[in-house]
Amino acid sequence: GLGHVPSVVTIHDVVYKSLPSTLPLANWLTEFVFMPRSVRRARLVITPSEKTKSEVVEYFGVCQAKVVCIPLGTDYGPPHVEASQGDKTVRYFLFVGGDHPRKNLHLCLRAASGLLQSNPDDHWELRIAGSIQKPRKLQKAIVQLGLIDKIKLLGRLSDSELASQYAFCTALLMPSLHEGFGLPVVEAARYAKPAIVSRGTALEGLSRGSIDV
């Protein structure tokens, strides 16, 4: 067998322990069975953030020296997008991700509702890029919050399409309950766009410096 072959394993997140209720049962069982074993057997564990590294050390009881943080990077899209490729006529906030509970999209909707109530004559949009698994539930929430004219569902976008959305947005919204890294924050930073993120997650570490929390 391969039991004595040295191995390196990458752990992107430990959601099955930190937020188990947000995972489908099959995903939770898979990670519950295989992740501890993989971490225990590996000679080296790689994580994309210091937050995930600390969770691996805490949850699996491994020494810190065994876990190395190597942040993700991106060559996503060109650093410059021509004005003709984007929409500069509307001020908008951008959410990149689906409606998975961990992504906390509903918090963005509630914030948009509050902004609308406090500034009813202000012109802006909340654009949501990504696959929506429960479109009826999302549409119901949009209607209930009075956001029909403020929410724009973009669906899945190509790299160039998403690049143009980053390039001309006012800010990225990413209030996730848990992230192993948070690549959209890095992608938005490529276009010098601020990110509004949740505290106590890997996102907060990414947001220090030129990106606002």
Side-chain angles (χ1 to χ4, degrees), residues 37-191:
R37 183 186 307 173
S38 299
V39 170
R40 186 170 57 251
R41 290 181 176 178
R43 178 169 295 182
L44 184 70
V45 179
I46 297 173
T47 67
S49 67
E50 291 292 339
K51 176 67 174 178
T52 301
K53 176 180 177 177
S54 67
E55 290 180 340
V56 168
V57 171
E58 175 186 355
Y59 291 139
F60 302 116
V62 298
C63 65
Q64 291 196 20
K66 182 178 176 177
V67 188
V68 177
C69 173
I70 303 178
L72 301 178
T74 177
D75 57 359
Y76 177 85
H80 176 70
V81 176
E82 296 295 334
S84 59
Q85 292 181 256
D87 182 359
K88 301 184 71 175
T89 63
V90 179
R91 183 165 63 96
Y92 63 92
F93 300 94
L94 182 63
F95 176 92
V96 178
D99 54 347
H100 188 284
R102 182 164 51 92
K103 298 297 182 181
N104 211 9
L105 174 57
H106 193 68
L107 178 61
C108 292
L109 298 181
R110 297 205 313 270
S113 177
L115 181 59
L116 177 61
Q117 292 178 26
S118 61
N119 299 278
D121 297 324
D122 201 5
H123 298 289
W124 54 269
E125 290 180 349
L126 170 56
R127 298 186 179 182
I128 300 170
S131 298
I132 302 301
Q133 302 300 317
K134 298 180 179 179
R136 291 184 179 179
K137 182 178 180 180
L138 177 58
Q139 289 289 356
K140 182 179 179 180
I142 291 172
V143 171
Q144 289 177 338
L145 293 170
L147 296 171
I148 296 177
D149 296 328
K150 291 295 186 181
I151 304 298
K152 188 172 184 180
L153 301 178
L154 305 178
R156 289 184 64 87
L157 301 179
S158 67
D159 285 352
S160 61
E161 290 170 336
L162 190 51
S164 70
Q165 294 297 323
Y166 280 126
F168 299 105
C169 72
T170 298
L172 173 74
L173 305 183
M174 198 170 183
S176 303
L177 300 175
H178 188 285
E179 289 287 347
F181 184 69
L183 197 57
V185 174
V186 178
E187 293 170 345
R190 189 170 173 82
Y191 298 94

Side-chain angles (χ1 to χ4, degrees), residues 6-47:
S7 64
V8 176
V9 63
T10 297
I11 303 296
H12 290 283
D13 60 58
V14 196
V15 175
Y16 91 95
K17 277 186 170 292
S18 57
L19 282 174
S21 63
T22 65
L23 285 180
L25 180 58
N27 295 50
W28 183 89
L29 284 173
T30 299
E31 296 189 8
F32 175 80
V33 171
F34 292 106
M35 190 178 293
R37 183 186 307 173
S38 299
V39 170
R40 186 170 57 251
R41 290 181 176 178
R43 178 169 295 182
L44 184 70
V45 179
I46 297 173
T47 67

